[in-house]
Amino acid sequence: MEHTVVSASKFNAWFGDNHAVKDVSISIEKNQVIAVMGPSGCGKTTFLRCINRMHELIPGATTKGSLKLYADDIYTMNPIYVRYKIGMVFQRPNPFPNLSIYDNVVAGYKLNGLKMAKADMDHIVEKSLTSAALWNEVKDSLHKKGTFLSGGQQQRLCIARAIAMEPEVILFDEPTSALDPISTSSVEQLFHELKEKYTLIIVTHNMQQAARVSDKTAFFYVGELVEFDDTKTMFTAPTDVRTQNYITGRFS
Amino acid sequence: MDARIGIRNTKSVLFKSVIIFLAFVITIPLIIVLLYIIKQGVMQVNWHFLTNIPAPVGEAGGGISNALLGSFIIVVMSSIIAIPVGVLAGIYLSENAGTRLAYYSGLCVDILQGVPSIVVGIAVYFWVVKPLGTFSAVSGSIALSIMMLPIVIRSTEQTLLLLPDTLKEAALSLGVPYHRVILKVIVPCGFAGILSGIMLSVARIIGETAPLLFTAFGNPYLSTAITKPMETLPHLIYTYATSPYDDWHNLAWGASFILLMFVLLLNIFTKLITRKWNIQL
Ligand SMILES: Nc1ncnc2c1ncn2[C@@H]1O[C@H](COP(=O)(O)OP(=O)(O)OP(=O)(O)O)[C@@H](O)[C@H]1O
Ligand SMILES: [Mg+2]
C-alpha cells in the first residue's frame, strides 16, 4: 500500500533567466523520509521551495510543469492552503523572537487569526512539543521567549511549529547544518518518529546523515534530478556516473 | 624591540588622552547651556506657574498653562497625522528596498528632512492658513507633522531592514498572508525601534518655533479650539523673551526650563525603551 503524496512531472524553476530546476520528475510516497543531495548550487533549495510555493515570493522567480499534492495541482491551489499542508523547517532556527515558546508553537494559528479554545490550544502545544522531543525541556518555561533556547532546542521548536499545523509533508532545508553534533543527533532521532505521521523531504550535505535517516535519496546535479532510488542502492550501487563521483569524492 | 613597544604604548596612551579630552570638551557647551537655563528657569517653576496663563504686563505672577496645553494638543495632533503615514511609508521603503520607486521616495524623504522648518511653515501658511482665513492649531500640527515624517519614515525603515528575511519566511511558510506577516511579525519585532524613532521625532518638533509663526501663531489665553490660534511653548518663549519686560523674560526662562526637561526626559525614555523592549533576534 503505497500512496504518492508529492509528485512532480517535468517541473522547472527559474530565477529570471537562471534555469535552476530542470525537468524534474519525481514521485514521493507517504510516510517516507526523502534525502535530497547534490553539490552546492544545484537547485535543491529551489526545488524544495517550489513544493510549498515559497519560490514565487522571490521577484523574477517563475515555474513551469506540474507539481501535485495527492491529486491536486499545487500551482492551482491557494498558496496559503498549500503552506498549511506542506510545512517547512529552515537551515537556521528561526523562532519568532517576539513570541513565547507557547505562542511560537501555535504561531500558525495565532498569526492567521484562527480562533481556538484555550484547552485545544494547550493540547496542540503539548502534543507538538512532545512530538518534537522538546516538551520535557520546556514545559516549565512555556511563556519565556523562544529565542532563549539553545540552537538545537530552537530548531526543534521550529519543527514543533510546523507539526502543530498537522501538515501532510514537512520540508527541511539543511535542518542541522547550524547545529552542534548533539543537537544534530537529537533532530535526526526525531525524523524516525516523525515519519510515522508525516512525509519528510530533507535537503542535506551530510551523506552519513542521509544514509542514517532516509528511505530514499534524490541526487540533483546542475538543476537536474539525476537519480532517485532507495538510499541503500544509491550509496552502494549508484547507476549514474555523476552520483558515483559525488559519493566517492566525498568518501575517499 | 622592547623600546619600540614602549614607544607604541606611549603613543597609544597619548592618543587615548587626546580623545578623552576632546570628548570632554564637546560636552562643555552643552553643560553650560543646561546649567544656565536651569539657573534662570528653575526658580520660576511652581504649581502656580504651571496652571495659570501669562499675566499682563505689570502684574505679578502668571504662568504658561496655555502654552503647555497648546503644545500638548499640537504634538498629539501632529503625531496622529505623522505616525500612521510615516510608519507605513517606512514599511514600504524597507519592504521594497532596491526598487526604483523606493529609491526615489527615499530621496524625497531625505530632501524633506533638509527643508528648513521656516519653509515648511510658509508652505502650510499658503496651503491651510490662507484658505481657512485664520491661524489655527490644525495648521500648526500639519506643519509639525511634515517635520516629523522624515524621522519616523527613516527610523522605521532602518529598524525593519535589520530584521532578518528568515523571520518573514518563517511566517509565510506557515501560510500567513503578507499583510498579517507585516502587522503581526515585522512591526512587533521592530516595535522598539519604531517607537524610539517616533519619540525622537516628537523631541525634535516640540521645540520648533519657525513653522508655528505662520500657522498656530499664539494665543495669550487658554484655548482648546483647534481651528483657532493656539499658544505653544517655543512660541511663548519667542514672544516673551523678545519683549522688553523683566517679568516676561522670567516667564520665558521658566518655559525654556520646562521645554528642556521635556526633551531630556524624552531622550532618556527613548534610550530606556530601546534597551528594555529591544527584541533579541
Ligand atoms: N534568491 C535567488 N535569486 C537568484 N538566484 C538564486 C537565488 N537563490 C538561488 N539562486 C540560484 O539558483 C541556483 C540554485 O540555487 P539553490 O539555492 O537552489 O542551490 P542549493 O542546491 O540549495 O545549494 P546549497 O547546497 O549551496 O544550498 C543557483 O544557481 C543560485 O545561484
Ligand atoms: Mg540550499
Side-chain angles (χ1 to χ4, degrees), chain A residues 15 18 20 38-47 58 173-174 205:
Chain A
F15 291 99
N18 179 2
S40 197
C42 67
K44 306 180 296 290
T45 299
T46 310
F47 181 63
I58 293 161
D173 191 0
E174 303 185 38
H205 276 293

Side-chain angles (χ1 to χ4, degrees), chain A residues 13-16 18-21 36-49 55 58-59 61 91 173-174 203-205 220 223 246:
Chain A
W14 288 265
F15 291 99
N18 179 2
H19 199 171
V21 173
V36 177
M37 305 198 63
S40 197
C42 67
K44 306 180 296 290
T45 299
T46 310
F47 181 63
L48 207 64
R49 289 167 58 94
H55 176 64
I58 293 161
Q91 183 166 4
D173 191 0
E174 303 185 38
V203 171
T204 177
H205 276 293
F220 277 71
Y246 185 70

Side-chain angles (χ1 to χ4, degrees), chain A residues 105-166:
Chain A
V105 177
V106 286
Y109 298 93
K110 288 212 161 170
L111 296 179
N112 277 302
L114 304 174
K115 293 272 178 294
M116 197 190 297
K118 174 91 169 62
D120 294 339
M121 213 167 251
D122 289 348
H123 179 68
I124 291 178
V125 169
E126 176 165 357
K127 203 176 72 180
S128 311
L129 285 173
T130 308
S131 309
L134 190 60
W135 175 251
N136 285 328
E137 289 158 66
V138 302
K139 64 175 181 233
D140 298 321
S141 48
L142 288 176
H143 294 284
K144 276 198 190 158
K145 292 268 184 285
T147 34
F148 283 118
L149 299 172
S150 75
Q153 289 174 321
Q154 286 187 21
Q155 194 62 304
R156 279 178 283 151
L157 178 58
C158 294
I159 295 173
R161 180 174 72 189
I163 296 172
M165 303 301 288
E166 306 242 297

Side-chain angles (χ1 to χ4, degrees), chain B residues 3-272:
Chain B
R4 282 179 59 185
I5 290 177
I7 292 172
R8 282 194 191 179
N9 276 340
T10 337
K11 271 189 186 165
S12 133
V13 167
L14 205 68
F15 192 64
K16 239 184 202 161
S17 343
V18 169
I19 288 177
I20 292 171
F21 176 72
L22 289 178
F24 178 71
V25 165
I26 57 168
T27 59
I28 289 178
L30 175 71
I31 291 170
I32 291 176
V33 169
L34 280 181
L35 287 180
Y36 194 68
I37 292 176
I38 291 170
K39 179 172 149 274
Q40 298 284 333
V42 76
M43 302 300 296
Q44 312 300 326
V45 180
N46 52 41
W47 187 242
H48 177 88
F49 181 79
L50 295 176
T51 54
N52 280 273
I53 62 170
V57 187
E59 274 180 39
I64 58 165
S65 66
N66 57 340
L68 281 176
L69 184 67
S71 272
F72 176 76
I73 292 174
I74 285 179
V75 164
V76 168
M77 286 200 295
S78 309
S79 305
I80 290 172
I81 303 169
I83 292 171
V85 179
V87 170
L88 286 175
I91 292 172
Y92 174 82
L93 290 185
S94 84
E95 284 294 305
N96 298 279
T99 64
R100 188 174 289 248
L101 185 57
Y103 174 77
Y104 286 109
S105 317
L107 206 62
C108 292
V109 172
D110 288 342
I111 293 169
L112 188 59
Q113 177 130 44
V115 173
S117 56
I118 194 145
V119 176
V120 173
I122 293 176
V124 174
Y125 176 79
F126 281 106
W127 293 340
V128 186
V129 177
K130 270 203 133 177
L132 291 183
T134 170
F135 294 117
S136 62
V138 173
S139 59
S141 305
I142 292 173
L144 292 186
S145 68
I146 294 174
M147 307 284 308
M148 279 174 84
L149 269 179
I151 306 173
V152 177
I153 294 175
R154 279 297 185 204
S155 66
T156 304
E157 182 200 5
Q158 295 307 323
T159 305
L160 299 188
L161 278 178
L162 287 180
L163 297 177
D165 283 343
T166 55
L167 200 59
K168 213 161 78 189
E169 300 217 307
L172 289 168
S173 76
L174 290 168
V176 183
Y178 182 72
H179 70 277
R180 294 190 76 100
V181 174
I182 300 294
L183 289 177
K184 301 274 171 178
V185 179
I186 300 299
V187 170
C189 287
F191 187 70
I194 296 173
L195 189 64
S196 76
I198 289 171
M199 290 176 70
L200 286 179
S201 73
V202 169
R204 167 91 176 72
I205 58 149
I206 186 87
E208 274 296 343
T209 322
L212 294 175
L213 288 174
F214 333 91
T215 53
F217 190 63
N219 187 337
Y221 302 105
L222 199 61
S223 163
T224 52
I226 59 172
T227 54
K228 297 274 159 52
M230 195 178 272
E231 192 61 276
T232 54
L233 283 171
H235 185 264
L236 177 139
I237 295 168
Y238 171 77
T239 6
Y240 286 68
T242 51
S243 76
Y245 313 107
D246 276 348
D247 284 351
W248 283 15
H249 291 169
N250 287 336
L251 208 67
W253 281 119
S256 305
F257 173 74
I258 299 281
L259 190 58
L260 186 76
M261 285 303 126
F262 187 77
V263 173
L264 274 182
L265 285 180
L266 213 51
N267 276 292
I268 291 169
F269 273 130
T270 309
K271 285 262 182 296
L272 290 180

